[in-house]
């Protein structure tokens, strides 16, 4: 495969991932989704600090901003590499919330993707990010 073709494929992949991450980040500000995501945070990881009971919601909003910035960062060539690395770290960091939700499908409904499937999805998404920035 020629370099031009590989570069073009990576650019398209970065654009698709940017849309995915930016769109996912926006959902963190939709009240119904926000409440579900806040509930998905495992009790041991719930940050309350100065935000009190709103701590989990603030964390959901923060992760939404991270996803939106990650999407944008994939599109700006000077930040593509560092953004990809940060997105990989981000995807690993948010995994405990997905694993927590997977244990309680009655409570989390569609957000409770079975753990085995979620692991495969998370690894695939990480691989796509890595492929997009190589």
């Amino acid at each position: 495969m020629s370099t031009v073709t590989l570069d073009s494929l990576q650019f398209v992949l970065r654009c698709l991932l940017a849309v995915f991450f930016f769109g996912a980040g926006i959902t963190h500000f939709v009240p119904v989704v926000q409440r579900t995501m806040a509930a998905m945070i495992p009790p041991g990881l719930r940050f309350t600090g100065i935000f009190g009971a709103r701590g989990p919601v603030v964390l959901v909003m923060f992760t939404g901003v991270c996803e939106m910035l990650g999407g944008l960062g994939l599109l700006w060539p000077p930040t593509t590499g560092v953004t990809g690395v940060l997105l990989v770290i981000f995807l690993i960091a948010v995994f405990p919330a997905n694993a927590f939700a997977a244990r309680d499908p009655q409570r989390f409904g569609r957000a409770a993707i079975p753990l085995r499937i979620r692991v495969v999805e998370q690894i695939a998404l990480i691989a796509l990010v890595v492929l997009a920035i190589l």
Side-chain angles (χ1 to χ4, degrees):
M1 184 178 293
S2 73
T3 304
V4 174
T5 305
L6 181 59
D7 289 345
S8 298
L9 289 174
Q10 284 181 301
F11 176 73
V12 169
L13 181 56
R14 282 194 304 273
C15 289
L16 292 171
L17 287 168
V19 169
F20 171 79
F21 280 110
F22 198 85
I26 288 172
T27 66
H28 287 63
F29 296 90
V30 175
V32 171
V33 177
Q34 194 176 71
R35 282 190 298 274
T36 300
M37 289 183 178
M40 287 171 59
I41 299 170
L45 299 177
R46 289 176 189 259
F47 170 75
T48 53
I50 60 172
F51 300 109
R54 296 244 339 129
V57 172
V58 172
L59 185 57
V60 169
M61 291 188 292
F62 174 73
T63 58
V65 169
C66 290
E67 285 183 299
M68 290 187 291
L69 291 175
L72 294 175
L74 287 174
L75 298 177
W76 192 39
T79 62
T80 298
V82 70
T83 298
V85 170
L86 291 172
L87 282 171
V88 167
I89 293 167
F90 174 84
L91 289 167
I92 293 167
V94 299
F95 185 75
N98 296 308
F100 181 73
R103 293 187 191 120
D104 196 350
Q106 296 287 59
R107 179 177 177 194
F108 295 108
R110 288 182 26 192
I113 298 169
L115 190 57
R116 288 186 180 134
I117 293 170
R118 186 61 192 183
V119 168
V120 171
E121 288 176 346
Q122 205 81 351
I123 290 170
L125 191 52
I126 289 169
L128 287 171
V129 169
V130 170
L131 181 62
I133 66 168
L134 288 179

